[in-house]
Amino acid sequence: MSDQDMLLPLVGDAKPPSSASKAAPKKTEMKKWQKKMFEDAVGVSLALVYFALTTILAFADVALKDYGLMDQWPLGAIGIGFVTTVCANHWLSRPQRFEAYGFAILLAVLARAIGDYAVFARCGLTASFWAIVLGIGARFVGVVLPGDVLDQGEFFIKIGVSLLAMDYANIVAVGGPGLVVAWVDTALVMGAGYVLTTAPLFGFCMTPQDGIVIAGATSICGSSAATAIATAIYDEDADGGGGGGAKDSKNPKFAQDTIIALMGLFNTPLMPLLPLPATLGSTRLNAKVIGAWIGGSIDSTGQVIASASLGSATVLRTATVVKIAQNFLIGPVCAVLAGLFRGSFSPREVVRQFPVFIVGFFLTSAVVSALKYAGPHHAARGDAVDTAVDNSWFVAEWVNLIGFALIGLKINLRKFFHLDGPAASDAAEQRALAAKETRVLQAYVLIQALDLCTTLAFAYAMFHGADASDDDTAAF
């Protein structure tokens, strides 16, 4: 059964394009990289508007966290969610789909309510975790939202990352050691993963293209890296990778499609496990070590934020900076790989794959630092600036929760475990599909295990002596 056949009434009557519409002449559209940059720019613009409003409220002595009563925060969450979706869809000329986005917002509110229970909070199972779990559960029982809605999970996360404003002093404190974790460790894991998947010695015997997609996606930043690398190395007319191609063993982008599904599935249990040392008050691993470990080893940016949010504010700050530094690698890596695999090296690839949402993070952080330190009376403004940061993080939490719910709704366990029947047309193709999926799964597990071990080693070496005096401060 296809996703389209499973659509519920709440998401509208989406119909497949008719043969006439397929035959219609194509309109001039933006290229994929241009569309991605424009979407990121819209997300940054929304984040800056939110940040300006929350900063004004802070200097008016209004702290949003004071409105945390049960009859108050759901209204604020629903308001933030619908304002974000309406504005973004209007600017991007997308259908509003109020019912679909409303369902994701409802899951975010429910996740916050569950995560607020003391028994779950003590175990570190806060709202971020429950938003993804509820999304996975809803998808499993048959709730399937339109694909253009499910694809917006990372869009919400990017807005949330832009709103995680922090003093530049905190960024500098992560600085050099964070770059070692984000760049040196990532390069080593990516190289080792490529050798593991392609060398005959290890038995996987994958093509160089499949091997580098799996290694790059696992070591850098998940689905974003998988899509960017596949675009850089495969032929333009290769099917798959979200292009609507069927998932079969002959699909040129089979590895990309499979690894994206695997990362979404297997990173979910890692989310509550990696912050456990911080939650349990470990004295061997301080908050910066744990944050760098999370930021460097969990694949997608969204799941990094979700996992680090289960720890302290220091864990979240460190994980965010490390993951942002990792995101910077996408452009240069894609440029080099395009030259190696297609003989078309171009510095423009660095620009095309540049993660624009990072600009929003640095802009909001720059404003916070300027307000805190500019002028002779900066100490008097300290409380207002701290409140502005708290307000910004408050909005970031809700935007992120909606993104986490959409990420969960995109993870299709039924399809992964073939619960809806065979996806292949005959038994031979089904066996070939299963065999190739198994090889990708085994390779991913090995590379992910290597990534977890080496990242922890690098994080401990870089941050074990760091001062993390605010480890007991909750992230959200």
Side-chain angles (χ1 to χ4, degrees), residues 29-253:
E29 296 181 353
M30 290 188 293
K31 295 180 180 179
K32 288 183 179 180
W33 68 271
Q34 293 172 324
K35 183 178 179 181
K36 172 183 170 294
M37 292 190 76
F38 180 63
E39 288 181 351
D40 283 1
V42 169
V44 169
S45 299
L46 274 171
L48 293 178
V49 170
Y50 279 136
F51 181 72
L53 292 175
T54 55
T55 302
I56 292 171
L57 290 174
F59 279 85
D61 202 24
V62 176
L64 294 179
K65 65 181 180 181
D66 292 340
Y67 296 88
L69 300 178
M70 194 62 189
D71 60 343
Q72 295 173 327
W73 62 257
L75 295 177
I78 293 170
I80 291 169
F82 275 112
V83 167
T84 303
T85 57
V86 169
C87 292
N89 289 333
H90 175 72
W91 289 344
L92 295 170
S93 300
R94 294 192 301 229
Q96 290 294 345
R97 300 197 187 278
F98 293 111
E99 299 90 346
Y101 283 107
F103 184 76
I105 294 170
L106 177 64
L107 288 184
V109 173
L110 184 59
R112 170 66 186 273
I114 296 173
D116 278 351
Y117 277 102
V119 62
F120 292 134
R122 284 196 298 269
C123 298
L125 302 178
T126 56
S128 303
F129 172 78
W130 290 109
I132 292 182
V133 169
L134 290 174
I136 294 175
R139 179 64 180 263
F140 185 79
V141 299
V143 179
V144 183
L145 304 187
D148 61 338
V149 175
L150 294 177
D151 289 340
Q152 300 313 306
E154 286 293 331
F155 176 78
F156 281 88
I157 301 300
K158 289 172 181 178
I159 296 175
V161 170
S162 296
L163 287 168
L164 292 178
M166 60 183 74
D167 185 345
Y168 269 170
N170 291 318
I171 299 176
V172 172
V174 177
L179 291 180
V180 173
V181 176
W183 292 354
V184 177
D185 174 61
T186 297
L188 290 175
V189 173
M190 187 173 179
Y194 177 74
V195 172
L196 178 71
T197 53
T198 58
L201 174 65
F202 300 101
F204 293 106
C205 300
M206 296 183 181
T207 65
Q209 289 88 345
D210 287 351
I212 200 64
V213 166
I214 294 171
T218 308
S219 60
I220 303 179
C221 56
S223 59
S224 299
T227 303
I229 292 173
T231 301
I233 66 175
Y234 287 118
D235 292 334
E236 294 292 339
D237 57 351
D239 202 356
K247 185 180 178 183
D248 61 71
S249 61
K250 298 178 182 178
N251 184 344
K253 292 189 178 181

Side-chain angles (χ1 to χ4, degrees), residues 205-405:
C205 300
M206 296 183 181
T207 65
Q209 289 88 345
D210 287 351
I212 200 64
V213 166
I214 294 171
T218 308
S219 60
I220 303 179
C221 56
S223 59
S224 299
T227 303
I229 292 173
T231 301
I233 66 175
Y234 287 118
D235 292 334
E236 294 292 339
D237 57 351
D239 202 356
K247 185 180 178 183
D248 61 71
S249 61
K250 298 178 182 178
N251 184 344
K253 292 189 178 181
F254 178 91
Q256 173 196 345
D257 298 338
T258 305
I259 196 64
I260 288 175
L262 289 172
M263 288 185 296
L265 180 62
F266 283 91
N267 272 236
T268 300
L270 287 179
M271 286 167 42
L273 293 178
L274 267 60
L276 268 182
T279 305
L280 299 177
S282 170
T283 56
R284 292 181 178 273
L285 301 177
N286 64 48
K288 288 186 177 180
V289 171
I290 297 168
W293 188 27
I294 293 171
S297 57
I298 292 183
D299 301 317
S300 75
T301 302
Q303 288 178 319
V304 165
I305 301 301
S307 178
S309 298
L310 304 179
S312 67
T314 302
V315 172
L316 180 56
R317 281 196 294 265
T318 308
T320 300
V321 174
V322 170
K323 180 52 68 174
I324 283 176
Q326 242 184 13
N327 272 276
F328 272 112
L329 287 177
I330 298 178
V333 166
C334 288
V336 172
L337 293 178
L340 293 175
F341 283 88
R342 300 177 65 183
S344 58
F345 178 80
S346 173
R348 286 182 295 179
E349 195 68 30
V350 178
V351 177
R352 292 176 180 177
Q353 301 299 341
F354 180 75
V356 177
F357 73 94
I358 292 175
V359 175
F361 169 78
F362 282 109
L363 284 176
T364 55
S365 298
V367 172
V368 166
S369 301
L371 290 174
K372 193 167 186 178
Y373 299 114
H377 304 293
H378 62 268
R381 295 193 300 271
D383 291 342
V385 174
D386 290 342
T387 302
V389 172
D390 290 342
N391 286 351
S392 184
W393 281 42
F394 182 90
V395 177
E397 177 189 12
W398 281 113
V399 176
N400 283 332
L401 284 178
I402 298 169
F404 299 152

